[in-house]
Amino acid sequence: MPLIPDFIAPTRHTDPADALAQVQRIYQQQIGHLRDAMQRFVAGETPEGPVRAFYPFVRVHTTTVARADTKLAYGFVEGPGRYETTLTRPDLFANYYAEQFRLLRASHNVELEVGTSTHPIPIHFSFAEHDHIEGTLTQARRMLMRDVFDLPDLAAMDDGIANGTWQAAPGEAQPLSLFTAPRVDYSLHRLRHYTGTAPEWFQNFVLFTNYQFYIDEFVRLGHAEMAKPDSEYIAFIEPGNVVTRRVGLSAEAGDDLGAAPPRLPQMPAYHLVRKDASGITMVNIGVGPANAKTITDHIAVLRPHAWMMLGHCAGLRNSQQLGDYVLAHAYVREDHVLDEDLPLWVPIPALAEIQLALQQAVADVTQISGADLKRVMRTGTVASTDNRNWELLPDNTPQRRFSQSRAVALDMESATIAANGFRFRVPYGTLLCVSDKPLHGEIKLPGMANHFYRERVDQHLRIGMRAIEILRNGGVDRLHSRKLRSFAEVAFQ
């Protein structure tokens, strides 16, 4: 017989805070059960039966389509019916869950039903941030662990809801969230691995880059902010969860557990933290669409307010100069990594709020405005390819396609990041900097490239950070555009 915690019966709530407290109560009971069993298992005890624990759920029943604020792109369900989702990490997502609960109440005046689901929590997702007790197990105990605890089930964590391909079985509730609890836990686990930092440090605005030069400059700016007693940022986090607090602030519990890793992770992340989590996370995704898809697949579960790509590109027009900026307003997708999830016939629209913020940021930082701004920044189509050596293909077929698409720039990541933003309803944008012009004989040479990097990286990064400031000051509610809603959208942002 399975060893499970005492059953907590479903409860109904009209106060979102009470509903959240019940979610936290159930989750802590279930996780505590797993952690205690795992500690005893590592110590050599073998339980008499399988050990199981389950995610909490939230459920609503509605008979109305009425909603309080039609300007919002989320916070309501499409029609009468039963809707539910499993939940995880109510400590990490406390503010997010509370806001989603509040909006559901305001939109439909329904009770929030909270209970224990039938979806098991995999043992791998029960460990605390600094728990590594499974590393002490022998090979025999590792094999036995499969019989004692639930392992991650990929069938419970696919992206069918986000892709619009999921269909409810007869009698099954409609989803409230894009992601099930196991899918969220899986991504939180992966974020630690790929970025070298805990999910708790990620901020609501994310910058992606494909060059270490940008990271070096971000690190310099981050430490400079920490030296300012009046900085709006309270901490700067580097891989290994190395914490630098703003001058004048005391260290907090857990700060001393961070340590620089012996080598950087695959896609290192750095976090300029604000108290309200509306600071800036920057990730070096390296070169190529595979990394771009991988990291955005996982950051998406954190529900950021926006992500943007700052990187280098090949300029495709003779009128462009090295160092010019390209603001993407359309994308040619030849990256291929999302073809199975998002068909190529799906258009990826430019989002006005992001576009305007990036354009204003370029004007603010360069001190150029009006018609003169077009001399340093071109708005146009960006093509992304998975073939770094596209220039070597015979018969100039890529060049012909790029010309037909009216592309003005080419890179390997931007279309992927934009397409995944569209797929996961995360507002997105792209501002690239021309670093070479291969169609016109201007390729990267060591001396020229080094001079270009020194001259442009600082300015480009400050433009991205200024754009985030503009978006933050403009109000994040404006960011979550109804352009990203499907016909039958989930209620959770």
Coordinates of all heavy atoms in Angstrom, one line a residue, residues 292-323:
A292 N 18.7 28.9 -27.8 CA 17.7 30.0 -27.7 C 16.3 29.3 -27.3 O 15.6 29.8 -26.5 CB 17.6 30.8 -29.0
K293 N 16.0 28.2 -28.0 CA 14.8 27.5 -27.7 C 14.8 26.9 -26.3 O 13.9 27.0 -25.5 CB 14.5 26.4 -28.7 CG 13.2 25.6 -28.4 CD 13.0 24.5 -29.3 CE 11.7 23.8 -29.0 NZ 11.7 23.2 -27.6
T294 N 15.9 26.2 -26.0 CA 16.0 25.6 -24.7 C 15.8 26.5 -23.5 O 15.0 26.2 -22.6 CB 17.4 24.9 -24.6 OG1 17.6 23.9 -25.6 CG2 17.6 24.3 -23.2
I295 N 16.5 27.6 -23.5 CA 16.4 28.5 -22.4 C 15.1 29.2 -22.3 O 14.5 29.4 -21.2 CB 17.6 29.5 -22.4 CG1 17.8 30.1 -20.9 CG2 17.4 30.6 -23.4 CD1 18.2 29.0 -19.9
T296 N 14.5 29.6 -23.4 CA 13.2 30.2 -23.4 C 12.1 29.2 -23.0 O 11.1 29.6 -22.4 CB 12.8 30.9 -24.7 OG1 13.1 30.1 -25.8 CG2 13.7 32.2 -24.8
D297 N 12.2 27.9 -23.4 CA 11.3 26.9 -22.9 C 11.2 26.9 -21.4 O 10.1 26.7 -20.9 CB 11.8 25.5 -23.4 CG 11.4 25.2 -24.8 OD1 10.6 25.9 -25.4 OD2 12.0 24.2 -25.3
H298 N 12.3 27.1 -20.7 CA 12.3 27.0 -19.3 C 12.0 28.3 -18.6 O 11.3 28.4 -17.6 CB 13.6 26.4 -18.8 CG 13.9 25.1 -19.4 ND1 13.0 24.1 -19.4 CD2 15.0 24.5 -20.0 CE1 13.4 23.0 -20.0 NE2 14.7 23.2 -20.4
I299 N 12.6 29.4 -19.1 CA 12.3 30.7 -18.4 C 10.8 31.1 -18.5 O 10.2 31.8 -17.7 CB 13.2 31.8 -19.1 CG1 14.6 31.6 -18.7 CG2 12.7 33.2 -18.6 CD1 15.6 32.6 -19.2
A300 N 10.1 30.5 -19.6 CA 8.7 30.8 -19.8 C 7.9 30.5 -18.6 O 6.8 31.1 -18.3 CB 8.2 30.1 -21.0
V301 N 8.2 29.4 -17.8 CA 7.4 29.0 -16.7 C 7.4 30.1 -15.6 O 6.5 30.1 -14.7 CB 7.8 27.7 -16.1 CG1 7.8 26.6 -17.2 CG2 9.1 27.7 -15.4
L302 N 8.4 31.0 -15.6 CA 8.5 32.0 -14.6 C 7.6 33.2 -14.9 O 7.4 34.1 -14.1 CB 9.9 32.5 -14.4 CG 11.0 31.5 -14.0 CD1 12.4 32.1 -14.1 CD2 10.7 30.9 -12.6
R303 N 6.9 33.2 -16.1 CA 6.0 34.2 -16.5 C 6.6 35.6 -16.5 O 6.0 36.5 -15.8 CB 4.7 34.1 -15.7 CG 4.1 32.7 -15.6 CD 4.1 32.0 -17.0 NE 3.2 32.6 -18.0 CZ 3.6 32.6 -19.3 NH1 4.7 32.0 -19.7 NH2 2.8 33.2 -20.2
P304 N 7.7 35.8 -17.1 CA 8.3 37.2 -17.1 C 7.4 38.2 -17.9 O 6.6 37.8 -18.7 CB 9.6 37.0 -17.8 CG 9.4 35.8 -18.7 CD 8.5 34.9 -17.9
H305 N 7.6 39.4 -17.6 CA 6.8 40.5 -18.3 C 7.3 40.7 -19.7 O 6.5 41.1 -20.6 CB 6.9 41.8 -17.5 CG 6.2 41.7 -16.2 ND1 4.9 41.1 -16.0 CD2 6.6 42.1 -14.9 CE1 4.6 41.2 -14.8 NE2 5.5 41.8 -14.1
A306 N 8.6 40.5 -20.0 CA 9.1 40.6 -21.3 C 10.5 40.0 -21.4 O 11.2 40.0 -20.4 CB 9.1 42.1 -21.7
W307 N 10.8 39.6 -22.7 CA 12.2 39.2 -22.9 C 12.6 39.8 -24.3 O 11.8 40.0 -25.2 CB 12.5 37.8 -22.8 CG 11.8 36.8 -23.7 CD1 11.5 36.9 -25.1 CD2 11.3 35.5 -23.4 NE1 10.8 35.8 -25.5 CE2 10.7 34.9 -24.5 CE3 11.3 34.7 -22.2 CZ2 10.1 33.6 -24.5 CZ3 10.8 33.5 -22.2 CH2 10.2 32.9 -23.4
M308 N 13.9 40.2 -24.4 CA 14.4 40.8 -25.6 C 15.8 40.3 -25.9 O 16.6 40.0 -25.0 CB 14.5 42.4 -25.4 CG 13.1 43.0 -25.2 SD 13.2 44.8 -25.0 CE 13.7 44.9 -23.3
M309 N 16.0 40.3 -27.2 CA 17.3 39.8 -27.7 C 18.2 41.0 -28.1 O 17.8 41.9 -28.8 CB 17.1 39.0 -29.0 CG 18.4 38.5 -29.7 SD 19.3 37.3 -28.6 CE 20.8 37.2 -29.5
L310 N 19.4 41.1 -27.5 CA 20.4 42.0 -27.8 C 21.6 41.3 -28.3 O 22.2 40.5 -27.6 CB 20.9 42.9 -26.6 CG 19.8 43.7 -25.9 CD1 20.5 44.5 -24.7 CD2 19.1 44.7 -26.8
G311 N 22.0 41.4 -29.6 CA 23.1 40.6 -30.1 C 23.6 41.2 -31.4 O 23.2 42.3 -31.8
H312 N 24.5 40.5 -32.0 CA 25.1 40.9 -33.3 C 24.4 40.2 -34.4 O 23.8 39.1 -34.3 CB 26.6 40.6 -33.3 CG 27.3 41.3 -32.3 ND1 28.6 41.0 -31.8 CD2 27.0 42.5 -31.6 CE1 29.0 41.8 -30.9 NE2 28.1 42.7 -30.8
C313 N 24.5 40.8 -35.6 CA 23.9 40.3 -36.8 C 24.7 40.7 -38.0 O 25.5 41.6 -38.0 CB 22.4 40.8 -36.9 SG 22.3 42.6 -37.3
A314 N 24.4 40.0 -39.1 CA 25.0 40.3 -40.4 C 24.0 41.3 -41.0 O 22.8 41.1 -41.2 CB 25.1 39.1 -41.3
G315 N 24.5 42.5 -41.4 CA 23.7 43.4 -42.2 C 23.6 43.0 -43.6 O 24.6 42.6 -44.2
L316 N 22.4 43.0 -44.2 CA 22.2 42.5 -45.5 C 22.1 43.6 -46.6 O 21.9 43.3 -47.8 CB 21.0 41.5 -45.6 CG 21.0 40.3 -44.6 CD1 19.8 39.5 -44.8 CD2 22.3 39.5 -44.9
R317 N 22.1 44.8 -46.2 CA 21.9 45.9 -47.1 C 23.1 46.7 -47.2 O 23.8 47.0 -46.2 CB 20.7 46.8 -46.7 CG 19.4 46.1 -46.5 CD 19.0 45.4 -47.8 NE 17.7 44.7 -47.7 CZ 16.5 45.2 -48.0 NH1 16.5 46.4 -48.5 NH2 15.4 44.5 -47.9
N318 N 23.4 47.2 -48.4 CA 24.7 47.9 -48.7 C 24.6 49.3 -47.9 O 25.7 49.8 -47.6 CB 24.8 48.1 -50.2 CG 26.2 48.6 -50.5 OD1 27.2 48.1 -49.9 ND2 26.4 49.5 -51.5
S319 N 23.5 49.8 -47.7 CA 23.3 51.1 -47.0 C 23.7 51.0 -45.5 O 23.9 52.1 -44.9 CB 21.9 51.7 -47.2 OG 21.0 50.8 -46.7
Q320 N 23.7 49.8 -45.0 CA 24.0 49.7 -43.6 C 25.5 49.9 -43.3 O 26.4 49.5 -44.1 CB 23.5 48.4 -43.0 CG 22.0 48.2 -43.0 CD 21.6 46.8 -42.7 OE1 22.0 45.9 -43.4 NE2 20.8 46.6 -41.7
Q321 N 25.8 50.3 -42.1 CA 27.2 50.5 -41.7 C 27.5 49.6 -40.4 O 26.5 49.3 -39.7 CB 27.5 51.9 -41.3 CG 27.3 52.9 -42.4 CD 28.2 52.7 -43.6 OE1 29.3 52.4 -43.4 NE2 27.6 52.9 -44.8
L322 N 28.7 49.1 -40.2 CA 29.0 48.4 -39.0 C 28.7 49.3 -37.8 O 29.0 50.4 -37.8 CB 30.5 48.0 -39.0 CG 31.0 47.1 -40.1 CD1 32.4 46.7 -39.9 CD2 30.1 45.9 -40.3
G323 N 28.0 48.7 -36.9 CA 27.6 49.4 -35.7 C 26.2 50.0 -35.8 O 25.6 50.4 -34.7

